Amino acid sequence: MKDYHISKHNSFYTIGLSYLKADAEVRGKFSLEAETMERILLQAKAEGIDGLLVTSTCNRTELHGFAQHPFQLIKLLCDNTAGSVEEFQDVAYVYKNNDAISHLFRVGTGLDSQILGDFEIISQLRASFNRSKKIGIANPFVERLCNSVIQASKRIKNETEISSGTTSVAFASVRYIMENVPDISEKNILLFGTGKIGRNTCENLIKHTKNNHISLINRTKGKAEKIAGKFNLLVKDYGDLQTEIRNTDVLIVATSSHSPTITKDLIHTKKPLLILDLAIPKNVSENVAEYGNVTLVHLDHLSQITDETLARRKKFIPHAEEIIEEVKGDFIKWLETRKFAPVIKALKKKLKTMKDEELDYQSKKLSDFNEQQADVISNRIIQKITKQFANHLKDEDVDADISLELIQKVFHLELETK
């Protein structure tokens, strides 16, 4: 496929890092909260960038947008996070134009997820687009691209079984707990924080273990009570965290802090304690594992737990890729049409002006001139001429930029500017 230059002066880039090369610690340095994402978008808008998406999940942080050089986007990210340009470059990827478009399709359809077929990313992509639109930095290209990725994602979900079977980090967490904690239905479980993976883990635990000794602690008690009501959990005060840890057998940490919320000095228990850290960046200090009775397991380890479900999902990758190519092809056609439309419109307008002048001249010259019939014939000829030009511009072997320039030059076209 030829590389469609999306803008005369700018290219469309994706810059980012993911679980493939960046560990949890590095991803933590570049993770973005909603407030920071908005700040990046506002900064980009002030710098004249007219299309940008910012996404940040526990597995990846990415910027997708228009720039003269990818470093503009890299600088935006590094200026607003704890990570440096050097750290970013060690683990980063940069994609341009077609490659950037293809990458977003793979990410949005779960083919690039830490767990194959995990469609959680689509709701995050939708939220990213809504954030950009609200700030006024989602141009028609970004909007159409997001809608196309969402469409591909829906089709893959409906037409393949790539997301069949229960496989997610939340499910992997439950399986790990069930395999490593004897008599789990009788044990005390404490959920600290209200992160989505933590909530899903609790829901799965209730479903699979019939455990009714699950407590929830959150800094904001109102939020905890809302979630507790839905999942039938007990709510404890934040001030009782240390006491509750002493009484629990399994601690699930789903806080969203940029520094550890569980430290060694909070743990005063002699019985076996399993801690699952489901946060990015890590929210449990590594040194808690120095206690002989404490087992610390992080999200990245849980994500590596694979089973026959994942092996089965891999069989559906080729079909998913076919769907992506089809939807992406429609997007590229739209992109071509959008690019050629102003020139074709101006050409049509120019030919119509020439036609009107000629008809006016002939009507004055010939007494029996049938202006209405001549008008119909002329319009049909104009339609055929402009269609020929449009087909020429869509030809794979044609350099569209050179042709567009030539058409404008030959017909002295003035393009409408918005």
Side-chain angles (χ1 to χ4, degrees), residues 1 105 148 151-152 155-156 159 318-334:
M1 196 199 309
F105 268 100
S148 297
Q151 183 196 344
R155 280 192 56 190
I156 289 168
E159 296 173 33
H319 188 187
E321 287 175 334
E322 281 172 23
I323 292 168
I324 288 172
E325 284 308 309
E326 198 180 313
V327 179
K328 192 170 73 177
D330 290 341
F331 173 74
I332 295 295
K333 278 178 192 166
W334 170 83

Side-chain angles (χ1 to χ4, degrees), residues 116 160-167 306-318:
L116 177 66
T160 77
E161 293 175 49
I162 207 161
S163 58
S164 61
T166 315
T167 300
T306 56
D307 55 13
E308 64 279 2
T309 307
L310 281 178
R312 186 173 174 276
R313 285 181 177 191
K314 284 179 182 172
K315 294 175 188 172
F316 300 102
I317 292 175

